[in-house]
């Protein structure tokens, strides 16, 4: 069941979205070679709690941290670790979720560490572009399948592939609500998005094959060919004539 949010509820989601964005901005300023992903997790935890908010990932199905930190061939859900030292030449995706006054925000960015390969630079850029292509012309009445179609078209036109095993999602008082929001699909298919629907659109784009492997820690997801992957996510709400991005 898809829950339509009222203007009052959207106002609350705007607040949690803003905190979510601020966590990622903070990490963007602080992230550098030599830090561990655990350092970033601590930074996020301290910041979120200092805002009077709660890190939604912490304890979610037993997840042990406040952020996911996924380096290079890790697609998503990398568990922060003291052993994961960030190095020049890597791309690091940071995913964070926040609950504030009972409402959720969820967003991710992929950060470039120092000088990276041309392939990684392009992958990160195209992954962000996939999100923005997906929200172009998105409004009340747009078929859900148009999102996946646009993400997939742009990724594949650039020689990259779209992860199928994980998808975006509705969001509100729960982190994961209906509908599922795949990053692949056909134009004109699926339910019509309506004003007041809130969704997290999160392209996960691989440099090589789309297939992924699930790690034995129960969380980490890596590309099957171990080539790099990038992730970009925002929480948005559908309006009459477009969308509002709550986490940017
Ligand atoms: N952004 C991710 C998602 O939409 C975050 C989930 S990680 C978890 O599913 F640890 F919270 F599960
Ligand atoms: Co999400």
């Amino acid at each position: 069941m898809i829950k339509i949010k009222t203007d009052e509820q959207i106002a609350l989601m705007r607040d949690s979205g803003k905190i979510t964005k601020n966590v990622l901005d903070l990490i963007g300023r602080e992230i550098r070679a030599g830090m561990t992903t655990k350092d970033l997790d601590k930074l996020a935890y301290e910041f979120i709690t200092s805002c009077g908010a709660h890190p939604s990932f912490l304890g979610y199905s037993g997840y042990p941290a406040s952020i996911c930190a996924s380096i290079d061939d890790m697609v998503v859900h990398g568990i922060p670790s003291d052993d994961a030292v960030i190095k020049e030449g890597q791309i690091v995706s940071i995913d964070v979720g926040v609950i504030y006054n009972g409402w959720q925000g969820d967003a991710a960015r992929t950060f470039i560490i120092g000088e990276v390969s041309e392939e990684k630079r392009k992958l990160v850029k195209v992954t962000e572009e996939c999100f923005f292509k997906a929200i172009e012309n998105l409004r009340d009445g747009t078929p859900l399948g148009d999102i996946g179609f646009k993400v997939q078209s742009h990724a594949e036109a650039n020689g990259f592939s779209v992860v199928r095993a994980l998808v975006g999602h509705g969001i509100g008082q729960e982190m994961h609500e209906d509908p599922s929001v795949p990053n692949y699909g056909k134009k004109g298919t699926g339910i019509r998005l309506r004003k007041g629907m809130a969704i997290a659109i999160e392209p996960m784009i691989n440099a090589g094959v789309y297939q992924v492997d699930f790690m034995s820690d129960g969380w980490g997801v890596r590309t099957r060919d171990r080539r790099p992957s990038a992730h970009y996510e925002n929480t948005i709400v559908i309006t009459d004539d477009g969308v509002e991005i709550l986490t940017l």
Side-chain angles (χ1 to χ4, degrees):
M1 200 246 315
I2 302 176
K3 292 184 178 146
I4 302 290
K5 278 76 184 179
T6 64
D7 289 348
E8 291 71 27
Q9 293 172 331
I10 291 165
L12 292 168
M13 290 191 72
R14 210 170 273 133
D15 294 338
S16 59
K18 183 83 183 169
I19 297 170
T20 309
K21 166 211 156 53
N22 287 342
V23 180
L24 291 170
D25 286 353
L26 172 66
I27 289 177
R29 288 192 299 274
E30 294 297 324
I31 192 169
R32 66 201 74 229
M35 291 178 94
T36 67
T37 55
K38 188 63 172 267
D39 294 331
L40 296 175
D41 186 60
K42 285 185 193 137
L43 195 64
Y45 178 84
E46 293 303 328
F47 180 78
I48 293 166
T49 51
S50 78
C51 295
H54 177 75
S56 57
F57 295 3
L58 188 62
Y60 180 90
S61 295
Y63 188 75
S66 300
I67 62 170
C68 301
S70 308
I71 299 176
D72 288 345
D73 64 338
M74 189 78 80
V75 179
V76 287
H77 302 169
I79 299 176
S81 161
D82 286 323
D83 299 328
V85 181
I86 296 167
K87 297 181 192 66
E88 163 117 13
Q90 291 179 331
I91 56 172
V92 184
S93 93
I94 302 294
D95 191 348
V96 65
V98 158
I99 310 174
Y100 187 65
N101 289 330
W103 291 85
Q104 303 262 349
D106 185 6
R109 308 278 181 262
T110 298
F111 298 106
I112 285 171
I113 310 302
E115 287 293 314
V116 303
S117 68
E118 197 46 47
E119 179 183 64
K120 286 182 181 175
R121 187 173 295 281
K122 182 178 165 197
L123 179 65
V124 170
K125 177 169 167 279
V126 168
T127 303
E128 290 183 14
E129 288 169 356
C130 283
F131 170 84
F132 289 99
K133 295 268 181 197
I135 62 165
E136 241 175 42
N137 304 318
L138 186 58
R139 61 168 64 85
D140 182 84
T142 302
L144 180 65
D146 286 17
I147 293 176
F149 175 77
K150 286 186 175 168
V151 170
Q152 184 173 19
S153 302
H154 189 62
E156 293 179 356
N158 281 281
F160 299 140
S161 68
V162 167
V163 173
R164 319 283 207 266
L166 300 131
V167 296
H169 48 92
I171 179 166
Q173 285 178 294
E174 303 297 328
M175 175 161 55
H176 295 137
E177 297 185 357
D178 287 337
S180 287
V181 183
N183 294 303
Y184 53 91
K186 287 196 175 62
K187 217 182 167 109
T189 63
I191 57 124
R192 284 180 188 278
L193 292 164
R194 291 297 172 200
K195 175 181 154 74
M197 288 185 184
I199 57 175
I201 301 179
E202 47 180 319
M204 288 155 266
I205 308 298
N206 294 352
V209 300
Y210 74 81
Q211 287 91 349
V212 297
D213 291 328
F214 292 83
M215 299 294 100
S216 57
D217 65 9
W219 286 101
V221 180
R222 295 170 81 184
T223 58
R224 182 149 299 164
D225 59 10
R226 303 298 190 257
R227 288 177 68 190
S229 182
H231 184 204
Y232 185 83
E233 174 179 25
N234 281 305
T235 298
I236 68 156
V237 60
I238 312 295
T239 63
D240 278 325
D241 55 354
V243 304
E244 180 181 348
I245 306 174
L246 302 178
T247 51
L248 193 65

